[in-house]
Amino acid sequence: SNIELVYKMKWIVIALSVLCVYCFVGIDGAAKDRQDTLQAFQPLKKAGGGKVQRKLIAGESELFVALQSELILSQEQYVQQTIDDESNIRNALEQADDTDCAGFVATATDSLMALGGISFSNCVAMIDEEMFANLYPSTSNTERQEYAKASMLTALRGLNIFTEASTIRTKLEAMLTAPIAIDGVSTTVQLSSILRSALNDCLIAARALLKQSLGGAYTQADTICTQ
């Protein structure tokens, strides 16, 4: 239900807030090349991708794949905004006089990016659950397995767009090359609208918190580390 989606979204934001307390625990401090991150969405954007899908599946299954593709691609703008924020921090760190301070901020930024990826992934998982629950009201194990085989959202669950982009791209390419048709499901206009809205709300909330945290890192890089 919509109420359940709101509560789930709130818990995702709360969880990310708690995790941010630990953002300064070191992971690899080297700046990441984010080109792979944006390339992860390419399989869904290739000109011939939709045509291939329509040849292999038809009817409701085609609409199912189209909706899932749209939902996954809706992350792209928030991912790009986050990469831009990270780039601003890296650029500021290049001007830093205090190398110890710069290293600390760089490590914290890596942690924040990883946490942001977890938050975006949680939004995808939430929508995947909601989509399954609406398409299969009985939610039996057999139906869950059938849905999972065809669902790109399920395939991406638990994967971090900022640290596992190549895995995401590989999974999408595999599923689009040989999509699995599912029978007896109806992706209605109303359901599509609900899922789009809920995912967008979740991504906006996650992005807002991440923007605030990365903004703090930028301030540190631009002021504290340059004194």
Short mmCIF file of all heavy atoms in Angstrom, two decimals, residues 83-135:
data_model
loop_
_atom_site.label_atom_id
_atom_site.label_comp_id
_atom_site.label_asym_id
_atom_site.label_seq_id
_atom_site.Cartn_x
_atom_site.Cartn_y
_atom_site.Cartn_z
N ILE A 83 27.48 11.98 -8.46
CA ILE A 83 28.82 11.96 -9.05
C ILE A 83 29.36 13.38 -9.19
O ILE A 83 30.55 13.64 -8.94
CB ILE A 83 28.80 11.25 -10.41
CG1 ILE A 83 28.53 9.75 -10.22
CG2 ILE A 83 30.11 11.45 -11.17
CD1 ILE A 83 28.35 8.99 -11.51
N ASP A 84 28.50 14.31 -9.58
CA ASP A 84 28.92 15.71 -9.70
C ASP A 84 29.36 16.27 -8.35
O ASP A 84 30.35 17.01 -8.27
CB ASP A 84 27.78 16.56 -10.27
CG ASP A 84 27.48 16.24 -11.73
OD1 ASP A 84 28.33 15.61 -12.39
OD2 ASP A 84 26.38 16.60 -12.20
N ASP A 85 28.62 15.94 -7.29
CA ASP A 85 28.99 16.39 -5.95
C ASP A 85 30.36 15.83 -5.56
O ASP A 85 31.20 16.53 -5.00
CB ASP A 85 27.95 15.93 -4.92
CG ASP A 85 26.66 16.74 -4.99
OD1 ASP A 85 26.67 17.80 -5.65
OD2 ASP A 85 25.66 16.30 -4.39
N GLU A 86 30.55 14.55 -5.86
CA GLU A 86 31.84 13.92 -5.53
C GLU A 86 32.97 14.59 -6.30
O GLU A 86 34.06 14.85 -5.75
CB GLU A 86 31.80 12.43 -5.86
CG GLU A 86 33.11 11.72 -5.52
CD GLU A 86 33.19 10.32 -6.09
OE1 GLU A 86 32.57 10.08 -7.15
OE2 GLU A 86 33.86 9.48 -5.50
N SER A 87 32.73 14.90 -7.56
CA SER A 87 33.76 15.55 -8.38
C SER A 87 34.15 16.91 -7.81
O SER A 87 35.33 17.28 -7.81
CB SER A 87 33.23 15.71 -9.81
OG SER A 87 34.19 16.35 -10.63
N ASN A 88 33.17 17.65 -7.30
CA ASN A 88 33.46 18.95 -6.69
C ASN A 88 34.37 18.79 -5.47
O ASN A 88 35.28 19.60 -5.24
CB ASN A 88 32.16 19.64 -6.28
CG ASN A 88 31.34 20.11 -7.47
OD1 ASN A 88 31.88 20.32 -8.56
ND2 ASN A 88 30.04 20.26 -7.27
N ILE A 89 34.12 17.74 -4.70
CA ILE A 89 34.96 17.48 -3.53
C ILE A 89 36.38 17.14 -3.96
O ILE A 89 37.36 17.66 -3.41
CB ILE A 89 34.37 16.33 -2.68
CG1 ILE A 89 33.01 16.73 -2.12
CG2 ILE A 89 35.32 15.95 -1.54
CD1 ILE A 89 32.24 15.59 -1.47
N ARG A 90 36.51 16.26 -4.96
CA ARG A 90 37.84 15.85 -5.43
C ARG A 90 38.61 17.06 -5.96
O ARG A 90 39.82 17.19 -5.73
CB ARG A 90 37.71 14.80 -6.54
CG ARG A 90 36.95 13.54 -6.15
CD ARG A 90 37.64 12.75 -5.06
NE ARG A 90 36.88 11.54 -4.75
CZ ARG A 90 37.14 10.76 -3.71
NH1 ARG A 90 38.12 11.06 -2.87
NH2 ARG A 90 36.41 9.69 -3.48
N ASN A 91 37.92 17.93 -6.68
CA ASN A 91 38.58 19.13 -7.21
C ASN A 91 39.07 20.03 -6.09
O ASN A 91 40.16 20.61 -6.17
CB ASN A 91 37.63 19.90 -8.13
CG ASN A 91 37.33 19.15 -9.42
OD1 ASN A 91 38.12 18.31 -9.85
ND2 ASN A 91 36.21 19.45 -10.04
N ALA A 92 38.26 20.17 -5.04
CA ALA A 92 38.66 20.99 -3.90
C ALA A 92 39.85 20.38 -3.18
O ALA A 92 40.75 21.10 -2.71
CB ALA A 92 37.48 21.16 -2.94
N LEU A 93 39.88 19.06 -3.10
CA LEU A 93 40.98 18.38 -2.40
C LEU A 93 42.31 18.57 -3.13
O LEU A 93 43.37 18.52 -2.51
CB LEU A 93 40.67 16.89 -2.26
CG LEU A 93 39.58 16.52 -1.25
CD1 LEU A 93 39.29 15.02 -1.28
CD2 LEU A 93 39.98 16.95 0.16
N GLU A 94 42.25 18.77 -4.44
CA GLU A 94 43.48 18.99 -5.19
C GLU A 94 44.17 20.29 -4.78
O GLU A 94 45.37 20.46 -4.98
CB GLU A 94 43.18 19.02 -6.69
CG GLU A 94 42.77 17.66 -7.26
CD GLU A 94 42.46 17.72 -8.74
OE1 GLU A 94 42.58 18.83 -9.32
OE2 GLU A 94 42.13 16.67 -9.32
N GLN A 95 43.39 21.20 -4.19
CA GLN A 95 43.94 22.49 -3.76
C GLN A 95 44.27 22.49 -2.27
O GLN A 95 44.72 23.51 -1.73
CB GLN A 95 42.92 23.61 -4.04
CG GLN A 95 42.36 23.62 -5.45
CD GLN A 95 43.44 23.76 -6.50
OE1 GLN A 95 44.38 24.54 -6.32
NE2 GLN A 95 43.31 23.03 -7.61
N ALA A 96 44.06 21.37 -1.59
CA ALA A 96 44.25 21.32 -0.14
C ALA A 96 45.72 21.41 0.23
O ALA A 96 46.59 20.82 -0.41
CB ALA A 96 43.65 20.03 0.41
N ASP A 97 46.00 22.16 1.30
CA ASP A 97 47.36 22.30 1.82
C ASP A 97 47.69 21.21 2.84
O ASP A 97 48.84 20.78 2.95
CB ASP A 97 47.54 23.68 2.47
CG ASP A 97 47.31 24.82 1.49
OD1 ASP A 97 47.79 24.70 0.35
OD2 ASP A 97 46.66 25.80 1.87
N ASP A 98 46.68 20.78 3.57
CA ASP A 98 46.86 19.78 4.63
C ASP A 98 46.58 18.40 4.05
O ASP A 98 45.43 18.02 3.84
CB ASP A 98 45.90 20.09 5.78
CG ASP A 98 46.15 19.21 7.01
OD1 ASP A 98 46.65 18.08 6.83
OD2 ASP A 98 45.82 19.65 8.12
N THR A 99 47.63 17.63 3.79
CA THR A 99 47.44 16.32 3.16
C THR A 99 46.74 15.32 4.07
O THR A 99 45.99 14.46 3.59
CB THR A 99 48.80 15.75 2.72
OG1 THR A 99 49.69 15.70 3.85
CG2 THR A 99 49.42 16.61 1.63
N ASP A 100 46.99 15.42 5.38
CA ASP A 100 46.30 14.52 6.31
C ASP A 100 44.80 14.79 6.30
O ASP A 100 43.99 13.86 6.27
CB ASP A 100 46.85 14.71 7.73
CG ASP A 100 48.26 14.17 7.89
OD1 ASP A 100 48.65 13.30 7.08
OD2 ASP A 100 48.97 14.62 8.80
N CYS A 101 44.45 16.06 6.32
CA CYS A 101 43.04 16.46 6.27
C CYS A 101 42.41 15.99 4.95
O CYS A 101 41.31 15.45 4.94
CB CYS A 101 42.93 17.98 6.40
SG CYS A 101 41.24 18.62 6.29
N ALA A 102 43.14 16.18 3.85
CA ALA A 102 42.63 15.78 2.54
C ALA A 102 42.39 14.28 2.47
O ALA A 102 41.38 13.82 1.92
CB ALA A 102 43.61 16.21 1.45
N GLY A 103 43.31 13.51 3.05
CA GLY A 103 43.14 12.06 3.05
C GLY A 103 41.93 11.63 3.86
O GLY A 103 41.20 10.71 3.47
N PHE A 104 41.72 12.31 4.96
CA PHE A 104 40.56 12.02 5.82
C PHE A 104 39.26 12.29 5.08
O PHE A 104 38.33 11.47 5.08
CB PHE A 104 40.66 12.88 7.07
CG PHE A 104 39.58 12.61 8.09
CD1 PHE A 104 39.61 11.48 8.87
CD2 PHE A 104 38.53 13.51 8.25
CE1 PHE A 104 38.62 11.23 9.81
CE2 PHE A 104 37.54 13.27 9.19
CZ PHE A 104 37.58 12.13 9.97
N VAL A 105 39.19 13.44 4.40
CA VAL A 105 37.97 13.80 3.67
C VAL A 105 37.76 12.87 2.48
O VAL A 105 36.62 12.48 2.17
CB VAL A 105 38.04 15.27 3.20
CG1 VAL A 105 36.85 15.60 2.29
CG2 VAL A 105 38.06 16.21 4.39
N ALA A 106 38.84 12.49 1.81
CA ALA A 106 38.72 11.58 0.66
C ALA A 106 38.16 10.23 1.09
O ALA A 106 37.29 9.65 0.42
CB ALA A 106 40.09 11.39 0.00
N THR A 107 38.64 9.72 2.22
CA THR A 107 38.14 8.45 2.73
C THR A 107 36.67 8.56 3.13
O THR A 107 35.87 7.66 2.84
CB THR A 107 38.97 8.00 3.95
OG1 THR A 107 40.32 7.79 3.55
CG2 THR A 107 38.42 6.71 4.55
N ALA A 108 36.33 9.67 3.77
CA ALA A 108 34.93 9.89 4.17
C ALA A 108 34.03 9.97 2.94
O ALA A 108 32.91 9.45 2.94
CB ALA A 108 34.82 11.17 4.99
N THR A 109 34.53 10.61 1.88
CA THR A 109 33.74 10.74 0.65
C THR A 109 33.49 9.38 0.01
O THR A 109 32.38 9.09 -0.45
CB THR A 109 34.46 11.67 -0.34
OG1 THR A 109 34.62 12.96 0.26
CG2 THR A 109 33.66 11.81 -1.63
N ASP A 110 34.51 8.53 -0.01
CA ASP A 110 34.33 7.17 -0.53
C ASP A 110 33.24 6.44 0.26
O ASP A 110 32.41 5.74 -0.31
CB ASP A 110 35.64 6.39 -0.43
CG ASP A 110 36.65 6.78 -1.49
OD1 ASP A 110 36.23 7.40 -2.49
OD2 ASP A 110 37.84 6.48 -1.33
N SER A 111 33.27 6.60 1.58
CA SER A 111 32.27 5.94 2.42
C SER A 111 30.87 6.46 2.13
O SER A 111 29.91 5.70 2.05
CB SER A 111 32.61 6.16 3.90
OG SER A 111 33.84 5.56 4.23
N LEU A 112 30.76 7.77 1.97
CA LEU A 112 29.46 8.37 1.68
C LEU A 112 28.91 7.89 0.34
O LEU A 112 27.71 7.63 0.21
CB LEU A 112 29.58 9.90 1.67
CG LEU A 112 29.68 10.57 3.04
CD1 LEU A 112 30.07 12.04 2.89
CD2 LEU A 112 28.36 10.46 3.80
N MET A 113 29.77 7.77 -0.65
CA MET A 113 29.33 7.29 -1.95
C MET A 113 28.83 5.84 -1.85
O MET A 113 27.80 5.49 -2.44
CB MET A 113 30.47 7.39 -2.97
CG MET A 113 30.89 8.81 -3.29
SD MET A 113 29.60 9.80 -4.09
CE MET A 113 29.56 9.04 -5.72
N ALA A 114 29.55 5.02 -1.11
CA ALA A 114 29.13 3.63 -0.93
C ALA A 114 27.79 3.56 -0.21
O ALA A 114 26.90 2.77 -0.58
CB ALA A 114 30.19 2.85 -0.16
N LEU A 115 27.61 4.40 0.80
CA LEU A 115 26.34 4.43 1.53
C LEU A 115 25.21 4.94 0.65
O LEU A 115 24.07 4.47 0.74
CB LEU A 115 26.49 5.31 2.77
CG LEU A 115 27.35 4.73 3.90
CD1 LEU A 115 27.62 5.79 4.96
CD2 LEU A 115 26.67 3.52 4.52
N GLY A 116 25.53 5.90 -0.21
CA GLY A 116 24.52 6.39 -1.14
C GLY A 116 24.06 5.29 -2.08
O GLY A 116 22.87 5.16 -2.39
N GLY A 117 25.01 4.47 -2.54
CA GLY A 117 24.66 3.34 -3.39
C GLY A 117 23.76 2.35 -2.69
O GLY A 117 22.83 1.78 -3.29
N ILE A 118 24.01 2.13 -1.40
CA ILE A 118 23.16 1.24 -0.61
C ILE A 118 21.74 1.81 -0.52
O ILE A 118 20.75 1.09 -0.65
CB ILE A 118 23.74 1.05 0.81
CG1 ILE A 118 25.04 0.25 0.74
CG2 ILE A 118 22.73 0.35 1.72
CD1 ILE A 118 25.78 0.17 2.06
N SER A 119 21.66 3.11 -0.30
CA SER A 119 20.36 3.76 -0.19
C SER A 119 19.56 3.65 -1.48
O SER A 119 18.37 3.33 -1.47
CB SER A 119 20.55 5.23 0.19
OG SER A 119 19.30 5.86 0.40
N PHE A 120 20.21 3.91 -2.62
CA PHE A 120 19.52 3.78 -3.91
C PHE A 120 19.09 2.33 -4.15
O PHE A 120 18.00 2.06 -4.65
CB PHE A 120 20.43 4.24 -5.05
CG PHE A 120 20.71 5.72 -5.05
CD1 PHE A 120 21.86 6.22 -5.64
CD2 PHE A 120 19.83 6.62 -4.47
CE1 PHE A 120 22.13 7.59 -5.65
CE2 PHE A 120 20.08 7.99 -4.47
CZ PHE A 120 21.24 8.47 -5.06
N SER A 121 19.95 1.39 -3.77
CA SER A 121 19.62 -0.03 -3.93
C SER A 121 18.42 -0.41 -3.07
O SER A 121 17.57 -1.21 -3.49
CB SER A 121 20.84 -0.88 -3.55
OG SER A 121 20.54 -2.26 -3.64
N ASN A 122 18.34 0.15 -1.87
CA ASN A 122 17.19 -0.13 -1.00
C ASN A 122 15.89 0.38 -1.62
O ASN A 122 14.83 -0.24 -1.46
CB ASN A 122 17.40 0.52 0.37
CG ASN A 122 18.42 -0.22 1.21
OD1 ASN A 122 18.74 -1.37 0.94
ND2 ASN A 122 18.94 0.44 2.23
N CYS A 123 15.97 1.50 -2.31
CA CYS A 123 14.78 2.02 -3.00
C CYS A 123 14.32 1.05 -4.08
O CYS A 123 13.12 0.79 -4.24
CB CYS A 123 15.08 3.39 -3.61
SG CYS A 123 15.29 4.74 -2.42
N VAL A 124 15.27 0.51 -4.83
CA VAL A 124 14.95 -0.46 -5.88
C VAL A 124 14.32 -1.71 -5.28
O VAL A 124 13.32 -2.23 -5.79
CB VAL A 124 16.22 -0.83 -6.68
CG1 VAL A 124 15.94 -2.01 -7.61
CG2 VAL A 124 16.71 0.37 -7.49
N ALA A 125 14.88 -2.19 -4.18
CA ALA A 125 14.35 -3.38 -3.52
C ALA A 125 12.93 -3.15 -3.02
O ALA A 125 12.07 -4.03 -3.12
CB ALA A 125 15.26 -3.78 -2.36
N MET A 126 12.68 -1.96 -2.48
CA MET A 126 11.35 -1.64 -1.99
C MET A 126 10.31 -1.68 -3.11
O MET A 126 9.22 -2.25 -2.97
CB MET A 126 11.36 -0.25 -1.35
CG MET A 126 10.01 0.21 -0.82
SD MET A 126 10.02 1.95 -0.33
CE MET A 126 10.11 2.76 -1.93
N ILE A 127 10.67 -1.10 -4.26
CA ILE A 127 9.74 -1.08 -5.39
C ILE A 127 9.57 -2.48 -5.98
O ILE A 127 8.48 -2.85 -6.43
CB ILE A 127 10.26 -0.10 -6.47
CG1 ILE A 127 10.19 1.33 -5.94
CG2 ILE A 127 9.45 -0.22 -7.76
CD1 ILE A 127 8.80 1.76 -5.48
N ASP A 128 10.62 -3.27 -5.97
CA ASP A 128 10.54 -4.64 -6.45
C ASP A 128 9.52 -5.43 -5.62
O ASP A 128 8.69 -6.16 -6.16
CB ASP A 128 11.91 -5.30 -6.37
CG ASP A 128 11.95 -6.67 -7.03
OD1 ASP A 128 11.33 -6.83 -8.09
OD2 ASP A 128 12.61 -7.57 -6.48
N GLU A 129 9.57 -5.26 -4.30
CA GLU A 129 8.63 -5.95 -3.42
C GLU A 129 7.20 -5.48 -3.68
O GLU A 129 6.26 -6.28 -3.70
CB GLU A 129 9.00 -5.69 -1.96
CG GLU A 129 10.17 -6.51 -1.46
CD GLU A 129 9.89 -8.00 -1.50
OE1 GLU A 129 8.76 -8.42 -1.17
OE2 GLU A 129 10.79 -8.75 -1.90
N GLU A 130 7.04 -4.18 -3.86
CA GLU A 130 5.70 -3.63 -4.09
C GLU A 130 5.13 -4.11 -5.43
O GLU A 130 3.95 -4.41 -5.54
CB GLU A 130 5.76 -2.10 -4.05
CG GLU A 130 4.41 -1.42 -4.06
CD GLU A 130 3.61 -1.64 -2.79
OE1 GLU A 130 4.21 -2.08 -1.78
OE2 GLU A 130 2.40 -1.40 -2.81
N MET A 131 5.99 -4.18 -6.43
CA MET A 131 5.54 -4.64 -7.75
C MET A 131 5.10 -6.10 -7.68
O MET A 131 4.04 -6.47 -8.20
CB MET A 131 6.67 -4.48 -8.77
CG MET A 131 6.23 -4.71 -10.21
SD MET A 131 7.56 -4.31 -11.38
CE MET A 131 6.62 -4.12 -12.90
N PHE A 132 5.89 -6.93 -7.03
CA PHE A 132 5.54 -8.34 -6.89
C PHE A 132 4.23 -8.51 -6.14
O PHE A 132 3.36 -9.28 -6.54
CB PHE A 132 6.66 -9.10 -6.18
CG PHE A 132 6.28 -10.50 -5.78
CD1 PHE A 132 6.07 -11.48 -6.74
CD2 PHE A 132 6.10 -10.82 -4.44
CE1 PHE A 132 5.70 -12.76 -6.38
CE2 PHE A 132 5.73 -12.10 -4.07
CZ PHE A 132 5.53 -13.08 -5.04
N ALA A 133 4.08 -7.78 -5.04
CA ALA A 133 2.88 -7.91 -4.21
C ALA A 133 1.62 -7.53 -4.98
O ALA A 133 0.55 -8.10 -4.76
CB ALA A 133 3.02 -7.04 -2.96
N ASN A 134 1.74 -6.57 -5.89
CA ASN A 134 0.58 -6.15 -6.67
C ASN A 134 0.29 -7.08 -7.84
O ASN A 134 -0.87 -7.27 -8.21
CB ASN A 134 0.79 -4.73 -7.19
CG ASN A 134 0.46 -3.67 -6.16
OD1 ASN A 134 -0.68 -3.26 -6.01
ND2 ASN A 134 1.47 -3.25 -5.40
N LEU A 135 1.33 -7.66 -8.42
CA LEU A 135 1.13 -8.57 -9.55
C LEU A 135 0.71 -9.96 -9.09
O LEU A 135 -0.01 -10.66 -9.80
CB LEU A 135 2.41 -8.67 -10.38
CG LEU A 135 2.86 -7.40 -11.11
CD1 LEU A 135 4.18 -7.64 -11.83
CD2 LEU A 135 1.79 -6.95 -12.11
#
